[in-house]
Every structure is written in C-alpha cells, then in structure tokens.
Amino acid sequence: VYAVLSSLSGVLTCLLQNRKEGSVFGEEAEAMFFTSLTEWTAGNVMIRILTALVLGGAIGIDRGVKRRGGGARTDAAVCLGAALVMLTAQYMTLHFPDTVNLSRMPAQVISGVGFLGAGSIIVSRRQIKGLTSAASIWICACVGLAAGIGFIDGAAVVTAVLLAGLHILPVIEDRIYQYFGYIALYIEAEDSKTAAFLLHKMKMDGCKIDMYDVDKPRAGGQSFTILITIYIPVKLDKEEYLNSLAQVDGVLSVDAL
C-alpha cells in the first residue's frame, strides 16, 4: 500500500514538473503543492480521476488484505464516484454559474454513501463487526470529493494517515487494554440456574459486573445467552479465569468479545 502511495507521489510530481513554479511562501502557492490542480483543464481532470482511483484502491487493498468488508473494487468505485460528483459540480458551476450551488451535490454524497456502510456492518452473537470498514467507505467518499475538486494534498495526506492509523492504533489499543481488567463476554448456558450460578461465582471471585443481559430461549432445546461486561481483578489471570468459567457445569461456551 505504501509503495502504491509512493508511486503515486512520483507520477504526480512528473506530471507537474512543467507547471509554473511558485514559492511555497508566496500568495500564489497558498501553502499547497497541488494548488494549480483546482483549475479546470483536461490534464487536471485526469490527474484528479487517477488520484481518486489510486487512493481509493489503496484503502480498499488494506481492508481486503485483512479479509474485511469493502475491498479494493468497492472503495475505488466509491472514491471514483465521489470524484465524478465533485467534477460534475465544478463543471456545472463553470457553465451555469447562476443556477448551481457547488456544495449541494457533494453534500448528497456524504449522506448517501451511508447505505454502503450499513451493508458492511454485521451483528453476530451480540458483537458488532464491520464498523471500521463502514467508516473506511465513508472516508473513501470524502477522499474522492477532495481529489475531485483538486485538493490532492488533503486527499493524499488523509489516506496516508488513515492507513498508518489502521495499523498503529490496534497495537497501541491492545497494549493499553491489557492493563485494564474490563472484558465483555458472550456466554451460552443450558438453563437459568447455570446463569444465576455464573453471576454468583463472578461476584464471589471479586469481579465487578458492569453490564448484564440474559436472553431466554424462545423454544425448547435452545440455550440461554448471556452478554456481560465484568472487571476481573488483577490477581486473576484473564485466560485462566475464562477457562474456569467454561468448565462450569451447564456452560456451553464462553467467548470474549
């Protein structure tokens, strides 16, 4: 992914090397390297489209490698579509200046892309999955809008920061969470007596119950499902304690969420 971004930077530099150079401290540069890409020319339009394709594809590849929702094709399509909407809005503003609001069409993209994000969210065993993929799809639309209007700097920087964050934050998150004893558990039990016994056992072991919810079976032969968030004392090893809960008579499974 980072190699793709580096290649993109090199391609854009080559395409822009024949343009008029300005000081990064001058008014013309406006502290942006790709300021001239906001002008409506055939070359600028192609650069914007290719940038949207590459940045959207880079985000999608990162999600696809982890076998998560979205993927290169979906994210690239979202990014390209958003870029086209932005290009169309600018085109209409140039040709119909008194009848078009430039911000109206992009605003519809921001709200309309939500249906794709909703489709990538899965609720399984009371555990919600796909939120990061949904957020990535929404960010792809935002990156596409930025690329479509020529704000290549913002689009590229946000993509790089997103990809770095998706890899760095989980490591930091795990290291922080290991110092805290809170854990969410999904437990399946045979009957209500087992559920009551587990609750009593946790209290006797010194665990603090933060949230507790039991779903009773609607038909015979089904198990009780327990969703509980507890604080496990430091003196207890988390893995060993979860194994001890799983070995209780009547407990079918214990999963950490």
Side-chain angles (χ1 to χ4, degrees):
V1 172
Y2 297 107
V4 172
L5 293 176
S6 299
S7 300
L8 172 64
S9 177
V11 171
L12 293 178
T13 302
C14 292
L15 290 173
L16 296 171
Q17 65 182 357
N18 294 328
R19 293 181 177 272
K20 181 178 179 180
E21 297 181 356
S23 172
V24 293
F25 301 102
E27 295 182 359
E28 182 180 354
E30 298 179 0
M32 290 295 175
F33 185 73
F34 297 111
T35 302
S36 58
L37 288 178
T38 57
E39 300 175 0
W40 186 266
T41 64
N44 285 349
V45 169
M46 290 302 301
I47 292 175
R48 297 184 203 178
I49 293 174
L50 291 175
T51 300
L53 174 64
V54 173
L55 295 181
I59 296 174
I61 289 172
D62 179 79
R63 303 307 300 161
V65 166
K66 299 176 182 179
R67 296 297 186 267
R68 302 297 172 86
R73 291 176 296 179
T74 300
D75 288 353
V78 170
C79 204
L80 275 175
L84 178 60
V85 169
M86 198 72 243
L87 287 167
T88 304
Q90 184 180 9
Y91 179 84
M92 294 175 66
T93 302
L94 292 173
H95 291 273
F96 310 99
D98 299 328
T99 59
V100 177
N101 185 349
L102 180 62
S103 63
R104 181 169 298 177
M105 292 180 65
Q108 300 305 312
V109 173
I110 297 298
S111 59
V113 77
F115 80 96
L116 283 176
S120 65
I121 299 175
I122 301 174
V123 180
S124 175
R125 287 191 172 187
R126 295 300 187 89
Q127 184 177 9
I128 301 176
K129 299 180 180 180
L131 288 176
T132 302
S133 296
S136 297
I137 292 175
W138 185 82
I139 290 179
C140 279
C142 297
V143 169
L145 293 176
I149 199 60
F151 186 31
I152 305 300
D153 305 73
V157 170
V158 167
T159 301
V161 171
L162 172 64
L163 294 177
L166 290 176
H167 290 271
I168 296 174
L169 289 178
V171 177
I172 299 176
E173 189 178 44
D174 290 340
R175 292 186 178 181
I176 293 177
Y177 285 175
Q178 70 181 0
Y179 295 103
F180 295 89
Y182 284 97
I183 186 171
L185 301 176
Y186 177 86
I187 304 173
E188 291 186 357
E190 291 181 351
D191 49 38
S192 59
K193 293 182 179 180
T194 303
F197 176 78
L198 282 175
L199 183 62
H200 176 72
K201 173 178 171 55
M202 292 177 185
K203 291 181 178 179
M204 294 300 296
D205 292 337
C207 297
K208 296 180 180 180
I209 299 175
D210 184 68
M211 188 274 293
Y212 183 76
D213 182 32
V214 178
D215 280 347
K216 298 181 180 180
R218 299 181 180 179
Q222 294 183 347
S223 60
F224 281 75
T225 58
I226 306 169
L227 184 65
I228 184 171
T229 301
I230 62 174
Y231 173 81
I232 301 177
V234 179
K235 62 181 181 180
L236 299 177
D237 183 84
K238 287 185 180 180
E239 294 297 331
E240 293 181 359
Y241 189 69
L242 295 184
N243 290 333
S244 68
L245 294 179
Q247 294 174 2
V248 173
D249 293 337
V251 174
L252 302 179
S253 66
V254 177
D255 296 320
L257 301 180

